[in-house]
């Protein structure tokens, strides 16, 4: 039987160079979206398509509210070629919780103001290299 888990304790931490910064307090959505290139490998004369798995990659989109401390970190790495490290726990980051981790580069950073709402912030990290899976200890 499946064990379903609520996402309210989700965790996204990113190391900007001075230890992992917990972004969870200012986020309402985060994800690790992994993908794989699929190459067509069908030869002449075949009656059905043949595919081959290729290189993996992915993105980490996030959405939440503006925080000046987090904004300074994001602004500081957006124009640089700095590899960051991340850990993402879809159900939290307590001992034994499932974890995705790896390297990433900040690809997008957006700040949006409105006269009728909180200042919003969103963005996307591009995954750089292999994503490891495991559990938090």
């Amino acid at each position: 039987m499946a064990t379903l888990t609520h996402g309210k304790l989700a965790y996204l931490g990113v190391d900007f160079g001075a230890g992992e910064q917990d972004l969870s307090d200012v986020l309402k959505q985060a994800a690790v979206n992994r993908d794989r290139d699929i190459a067509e490998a069908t030869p002449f004369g075949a009656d059905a398509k043949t595919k081959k798995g290729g290189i993996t990659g992915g993105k980490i989109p996030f959405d939440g509210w503006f925080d000046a401390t987090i904004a300074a970190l994001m602004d500081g790495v957006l124009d640089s070629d700095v590899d960051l490290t991340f850990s993402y726990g879809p159900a939290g980051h307590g001992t034994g919780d499932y974890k995705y981790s790896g390297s990433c580069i900040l690809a997008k950073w957006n700040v949006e103001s409105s006269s009728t709402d909180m200042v919003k912030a969103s963005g996307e990290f591009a995954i750089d290299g292999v994503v490891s899976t495991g559990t938090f200890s």
Side-chain angles (χ1 to χ4, degrees):
M1 179 176 212
T3 303
L4 304 179
T5 305
H6 198 282
K8 68 182 180 180
L9 298 177
Y11 172 82
L12 178 60
V14 176
D15 188 340
F16 291 90
E20 191 165 276
Q21 176 73 44
D22 183 354
L23 305 181
S24 307
D25 288 344
V26 296
L27 295 181
K28 62 180 177 178
Q29 183 275 329
V32 168
N33 297 329
R34 299 174 69 193
D35 60 25
R36 170 175 282 221
D37 294 337
I38 304 295
E40 178 75 36
T42 307
F44 290 128
D47 291 328
K49 290 184 179 183
T50 303
K51 307 283 185 179
K52 296 290 181 189
I55 298 170
T56 60
K59 299 175 181 179
I60 306 166
F62 58 91
D63 184 42
W65 298 276
F66 178 82
D67 174 85
T69 302
I70 302 298
L73 293 169
M74 297 292 187
D75 291 333
V77 299
L78 184 60
D79 294 325
S80 66
D81 191 21
V82 175
D83 260 6
L84 310 170
T85 58
F86 74 91
S87 5
Y88 172 66
H93 68 291
T95 301
D97 286 339
Y98 199 78
K99 173 174 80 168
Y100 296 91
S101 58
S103 294
C104 62
I105 299 169
L106 183 61
K108 297 179 183 178
W109 172 239
N110 310 302
V111 177
E112 178 184 339
S113 300
S114 167
S115 65
T116 60
D117 204 353
M118 302 297 293
V119 178
K120 297 177 183 177
S122 63
E124 185 174 89
F125 294 101
I127 294 173
D128 184 25
V130 175
V131 173
S132 298
T133 58
T135 58
F136 287 94
S137 52

